[in-house]
Amino acid sequence: MENMRKLAVIFPGVGYHTDKPLLYYSKKIAAQNGYEIREVPYGNFPQGVKGSKEKMEEAFFSAVKQAEEILKDVDFSGYGDILFLSKSVGTAVASAYAGKHGLNTRNIYYTPVEASFQFMKQPGIAFTGTEDSWVDWHVVQDGCGKGGFPLHIIRGADHSLETGNVAEDLENLQDIMKITREYIRGR
């Protein structure tokens, strides 16, 4: 009989922890759909990561090392469905982790950074904003196109997929979570 246990692993971004809207609600949707939830609360990143390739690499390698330690006791072979929910640099960390450990994962990539695309080999969907100051949305569009990832572009949204207009942000969040829910249930 196929293993029907399901696991969702949450990989946050730099300064975007798992209790911020995108990860908070996607985590709740995963739990409501029978996924066990495992968070990867890495931190202690260098200051000034945004705009610094060196500090971004330092943050990435630090997060990968911390993820290895946090997830060392997880027996991934015990799950028939592994879902990685990731944000920003977490998209690179999740993808690198899956690749290193030979895991078959499904992924929701919230605002992937440019470096993520070298690691993104597992299937998934992605979201980006046209006003993201961490990465030009055209770079994300190109990376997703080359990798075969359906991309959802939020017009006027920043790296948190927010526009600054609360009513618009709530509508966008509702749409993002509807797409997220459909992807999570799509297996």
Side-chain angles (χ1 to χ4, degrees):
M1 184 175 186
E2 184 183 346
N3 184 348
M4 295 310 292
R5 285 181 67 203
K6 301 188 288 188
L7 176 67
V9 184
I10 321 301
F11 293 86
V14 172
Y16 199 99
H17 52 76
T18 61
D19 283 337
K20 288 203 173 186
L22 296 169
L23 297 177
Y24 177 81
Y25 287 110
S26 60
K27 175 176 59 171
K28 283 186 156 295
I29 291 167
Q32 288 174 349
N33 283 276
Y35 286 81
E36 295 174 37
I37 305 297
R38 185 71 185 253
E39 296 184 28
V40 184
Y42 40 69
N44 299 319
F45 294 116
Q47 294 295 311
V49 171
K50 182 178 177 182
S52 169
K53 184 177 180 184
E54 295 78 24
K55 289 191 177 184
M56 178 63 88
E57 285 181 6
E58 184 182 336
F60 167 74
F61 287 116
S62 172
V64 168
K65 184 177 180 184
Q66 291 176 64
E68 290 287 346
E69 181 63 26
I70 292 165
L71 298 174
K72 71 179 183 213
D73 297 327
V74 177
D75 177 10
F76 287 97
S77 69
Y79 296 92
D81 184 1
I82 302 169
L83 175 69
F84 281 2
L85 302 169
S86 57
K87 171 74 174 82
S88 187
V89 73
T91 62
V93 176
S95 299
Y97 185 90
K100 179 180 178 185
H101 294 277
L103 300 176
N104 290 318
T105 62
R106 295 187 312 126
N107 294 271
I108 299 176
Y109 302 110
Y110 295 113
T111 65
V113 293
E114 186 171 1
S116 300
F117 292 101
Q118 63 188 304
F119 303 106
M120 289 169 59
K121 307 297 182 210
Q122 303 284 336
I125 59 172
F127 295 85
T128 196
T130 59
E131 301 301 318
D132 191 329
S133 61
W134 283 71
V135 60
D136 184 281
W137 71 274
H138 292 99
V139 171
V140 176
Q141 186 176 41
D142 184 56
C144 286
K146 288 177 180 171
F149 302 104
L151 175 62
H152 303 276
I153 300 168
I154 312 303
R155 300 281 170 203
D158 62 14
H159 196 58
S160 295
L161 298 181
E162 296 178 351
T163 65
N165 177 315
V166 175
E168 186 176 351
D169 290 343
L170 289 172
E171 282 182 30
N172 287 340
L173 183 62
Q174 189 170 10
D175 291 342
I176 292 164
M177 288 305 122
K178 180 180 178 198
I179 295 164
T180 295
R181 184 177 60 245
E182 288 170 0
Y183 181 80
I184 288 172
R185 290 180 175 169
R187 183 157 203 142

